[in-house]
Amino acid sequence: MQTTDTVLMIEPIAFGFNAETAENNYFQIEQKELDIQEKALAEFKTFAEKLRSKGINVIAIKDTAEPHTPDSIFPNNWVSFHRDGKVVLYPMFATNRRVERREDIIESIKNQGFEVTEIDDWSFPEIQGHYLEGTGSMIFDHDHKIAYGSVSLRLDENLFREFCEKYGFTPVVFHSYQTVGSERFPIYHTNVMMCVADRFVVICLDCIDDELERAKVIETIKNSGKEIIEISEEQMHRFAGNMLQVQNKDGEKFLIMSETAYRSLNSDQVSAIEKYCEIIYSDLNTIEVNGGGSARCMLAEVFLPKK
């Protein structure tokens, strides 16, 4: 199945602008206000409550004061939880994000009644400067065993292909870019420009500059039987690609996004999505501006089997 009813969220206690990640995350803007953590925490709690109110199981675990991890609110980059009981740990670009990998978080999820059969640690290549930042860099079509990956400093193509081979995914490799000033730069994470749901894909095709690569991505999506809902690069910059489809305990499907993303969509795009599922959106402005990530980045899907 493409969707899960359980997500991991990390409650921030020292959220803020991360200068290390800002080197190649062009969505980040540092705000100088003193109450960034307070605002981020309020956004986090409102967001988590909205999900719970729809019957989605949210496992919320508090961050720790030490070591300082300003981006811990985005757990999907360092860990993924799979249906066969495997937990995968990933190599991270920013050194201050590597300490987000916490065994106690995995233990907490086990204590919630989930089975972990193996921890598969892929983090070692980060020492040599090779990165693969989880479901930020890889977008999975679980039903068709396809993985989409946009090459960047945070998605090493060789690592991506190795991962796909081990986990039985067909890799779809491409390059995507965003305009910053007058230049085109690689998009840091695939999940800000595309979202794969059960019966549709939200994607910014304009970001894929190479015509052959763009055609290959379109062909793969169409062959998987999913509708393409296209967004513009301007909408992508407002996090309209950073969405995640989940389900609740009754099997009802939802597409989760930020209020910024939702407000950027036109009525045709909203209607296209709502043919398939209800939209949940929440105000995440402080988190988006300072962290350069949005709703999808805050959610690590838990596909683990129940004990």
Side-chain angles (χ1 to χ4, degrees), residues 1 3-7 49-58 114 246-254 280 306:
M1 288 179 60
T3 55
T4 178
D5 63 2
T6 301
V7 292
E49 187 49 45
K50 282 189 176 183
L51 300 183
R52 287 181 172 132
S53 73
K54 295 293 186 179
I56 298 159
N57 182 25
V58 176
F114 293 94
V246 301
Q247 65 185 51
N248 65 11
K249 59 182 182 297
D250 298 320
E252 297 172 303
K253 305 283 177 65
F254 302 90
I280 302 174
K306 291 284 183 70

Side-chain angles (χ1 to χ4, degrees), residues 76-82 84 86-91 120-123 125 131-135 137-142 145-149 155-171 173:
N76 78 310
N77 301 140
W78 67 264
V79 67
S80 61
F81 305 94
H82 298 258
D84 60 0
K86 286 183 181 175
V87 175
V88 183
L89 306 180
Y90 294 98
D120 189 9
D121 190 348
W122 285 64
S123 66
Y131 316 110
L132 185 67
E133 295 197 336
T135 56
S137 62
M138 298 182 288
I139 311 297
F140 297 129
D141 180 338
H142 292 285
K145 297 299 283 184
I146 299 166
Y148 297 89
L155 182 140
D156 181 278
E157 183 176 345
N158 290 331
L159 271 182
F160 176 52
R161 291 185 183 278
E162 286 176 30
F163 179 90
C164 288
E165 183 175 357
K166 179 170 182 179
Y167 281 85
F169 287 92
T170 299
V173 179

Side-chain angles (χ1 to χ4, degrees), residues 12 33 51 91 93 107 125 152-153 170 204 211 218 220 232 251 255 277 292 305:
E33 291 91 338
L51 300 183
F93 162 72
E107 287 300 315
S152 73
L153 190 59
T170 299
C204 181
E211 291 184 11
I218 293 170
T220 304
S232 67
L255 190 66
C277 60

Side-chain angles (χ1 to χ4, degrees), residues 200 227-229 267-277:
F200 63 95
E227 178 182 352
I228 294 174
I229 301 175
S267 58
D268 289 341
Q269 291 165 323
V270 171
S271 296
I273 293 167
E274 289 182 336
K275 280 190 310 185
Y276 300 106
C277 60

Side-chain angles (χ1 to χ4, degrees), residues 67-232:
H68 176 51
T69 50
D71 277 337
S72 60
I73 202 169
F74 305 131
N76 78 310
N77 301 140
W78 67 264
V79 67
S80 61
F81 305 94
H82 298 258
R83 292 196 186 279
D84 60 0
K86 286 183 181 175
V87 175
V88 183
L89 306 180
Y90 294 98
M92 306 285 286
F93 162 72
T95 54
N96 65 1
R97 294 211 63 190
R98 297 171 190 175
V99 289
E100 292 175 29
R101 296 188 294 256
R102 288 168 45 193
E103 287 186 23
D104 65 296
I105 291 176
I106 298 169
E107 287 300 315
S108 294
I109 290 173
K110 288 165 66 176
N111 291 337
Q112 295 273 341
F114 293 94
E115 183 178 353
V116 173
T117 58
E118 180 187 343
I119 296 177
D120 189 9
D121 190 348
W122 285 64
S123 66
F124 301 109
E126 69 192 16
I127 300 168
Q128 282 81 41
H130 302 290
Y131 316 110
L132 185 67
E133 295 197 336
T135 56
S137 62
M138 298 182 288
I139 311 297
F140 297 129
D141 180 338
H142 292 285
D143 292 334
H144 298 90
K145 297 299 283 184
I146 299 166
Y148 297 89
S150 176
V151 176
S152 73
L153 190 59
R154 305 194 198 195
L155 182 140
D156 181 278
E157 183 176 345
N158 290 331
L159 271 182
F160 176 52
R161 291 185 183 278
E162 286 176 30
F163 179 90
C164 288
E165 183 175 357
K166 179 170 182 179
Y167 281 85
F169 287 92
T170 299
V172 179
V173 179
F174 60 96
H175 298 74
S176 63
Y177 300 89
Q178 65 188 112
T179 299
V180 181
S182 59
E183 295 184 73
R184 297 287 274 174
F185 288 96
I187 292 176
Y188 79 106
H189 275 161
T190 316
N191 78 355
V192 295
M193 56 79 62
M194 77 178 296
C195 159
V196 174
D198 59 346
R199 293 188 288 166
F200 63 95
V201 173
V202 178
I203 186 169
C204 181
L205 292 170
D206 287 345
C207 291
I208 307 175
D209 293 351
D210 185 279
E211 291 184 11
L212 290 177
E213 289 187 348
R214 191 186 318 130
K216 173 65 174 176
V217 170
I218 293 170
E219 178 188 27
T220 304
I221 295 170
K222 287 183 175 178
N223 287 344
S224 72
K226 300 180 192 285
E227 178 182 352
I228 294 174
I229 301 175
E230 193 171 352
I231 57 172
S232 67

